[in-house]
Amino acid sequence: MFGVLLKNINEKKNFFSNWVIPAIGTRPCGSIKKGDLIEMFNAVADGDEKTWPGKEGNAKTAERVRIYCGVLFNWAASEDLVEHSPSVGIKQRAPKEERERVLSDSEIRAIWEAAGELGIYGQLVRFLFLTGQRSGRTSTVLRSELTLGESPIWLSPQNSEKNKSKRNHETPLSPQALDVLNKVFALADQEYVFPARRAQYRGNGGYTYEI
């Protein structure tokens, strides 16, 4: 997980180095105005060869620059490093792309089989497939939300912070989903069904250990 996070951070640093720094240089954040950002976004969209030699800018890249700058300046404003974010109110540079791709049957089968070798995390992946719920809701499911009687159900109450609809969210549990839960319960005895890596796990001999 740390390796993935580090890769994500490095990718964003490289993106700033390639597209933002050539345009604004080493200017202090507080000196950058809304007009400066708009000018930069437009230049990226137009593919300004003078500022970015050898790089092909377009509206899609300009939109990524806008999003990343928005995150940066909103954080700076929240930390009182700038008086306000100059990125607020700047319109999109490209329409949001809808995700249309879905996994093929063979891809689902491969992921399902691989998940069987990944312990708690693998069972979480399988539970996602079987319930069709959002990853945020699923990864934080509590044992107290589960009713495992004749009609097993997973209930997120309307006052739950993770319940966006603010209504009782009921998810029936199939026999396959119950099988996943039983496998998880054999490994971990925690408030959360899918506990974090530092949680206590039960080994085959009944002892506990931390991952």
Side-chain angles (χ1 to χ4, degrees):
M1 181 65 71
F2 179 76
V4 173
L5 178 61
L6 185 60
K7 179 181 178 182
N8 192 33
I9 292 173
N10 288 334
E11 286 178 351
K12 287 180 171 57
K13 286 175 63 178
N14 290 335
F15 191 83
F16 269 96
S17 297
N18 290 332
W19 292 102
V20 179
I21 300 303
I24 65 175
T26 58
R27 293 172 55 187
C29 285
S31 70
I32 298 173
K33 307 300 181 185
K34 187 173 185 177
D36 298 324
L37 294 182
I38 292 175
E39 183 179 352
M40 176 174 63
F41 302 154
N42 290 340
V44 173
D46 293 338
D48 185 351
E49 280 285 335
K50 183 178 179 181
T51 306
W52 298 279
K55 292 184 173 61
E56 296 184 4
N58 51 49
K60 184 177 179 180
T61 301
E63 177 61 8
R64 286 186 65 192
V65 175
R66 185 190 70 85
I67 292 172
Y68 287 178
C69 285
V71 172
L72 173 65
F73 282 107
N74 288 341
W75 170 81
S78 71
E79 296 295 315
D80 204 26
L81 299 175
V82 296
E83 187 174 348
H84 60 83
S85 172
S87 65
V88 173
I90 298 180
K91 67 179 182 180
Q92 289 183 330
R93 265 38 205 175
K96 184 177 180 180
E97 293 185 347
E98 297 293 335
R99 298 181 181 180
E100 297 182 353
R101 188 186 184 284
V102 295
L103 295 174
S104 66
D105 290 346
S106 60
E107 288 173 325
I108 292 175
R109 187 179 301 109
I111 294 172
W112 181 272
E113 293 176 355
E117 306 297 325
L118 298 177
I120 293 287
Y121 179 76
Q123 297 307 319
L124 169 59
V125 172
R126 287 184 169 183
F127 199 69
L128 283 165
F129 275 127
L130 293 168
T131 60
Q133 298 301 300
R134 292 181 292 106
S135 59
R137 178 180 182 237
T138 305
S139 62
T140 57
V141 58
L142 301 170
R143 288 199 180 207
S144 59
E145 297 175 358
L146 302 175
T147 300
L148 306 179
E150 294 184 1
S151 301
I153 197 167
W154 166 21
L155 171 64
S156 292
Q158 61 182 9
N159 60 353
S160 172
E161 291 183 359
K162 59 187 175 183
N163 194 338
K164 293 184 177 181
S165 67
K166 299 306 176 185
R167 294 178 295 178
N168 287 340
H169 191 163
E170 298 183 356
T171 304
L173 299 173
S174 66
Q176 293 86 353
L178 292 177
D179 182 60
V180 167
L181 291 175
N182 288 330
K183 290 178 180 177
V184 172
F185 293 160
L187 293 172
D189 185 10
Q190 299 289 322
E191 177 185 9
Y192 288 95
V193 174
F194 303 101
R197 292 176 63 84
R198 295 296 297 176
Q200 295 282 340
Y201 288 77
R202 287 201 295 265
N204 293 331
Y207 57 88
T208 61
Y209 62 98
E210 286 188 346
I211 293 182

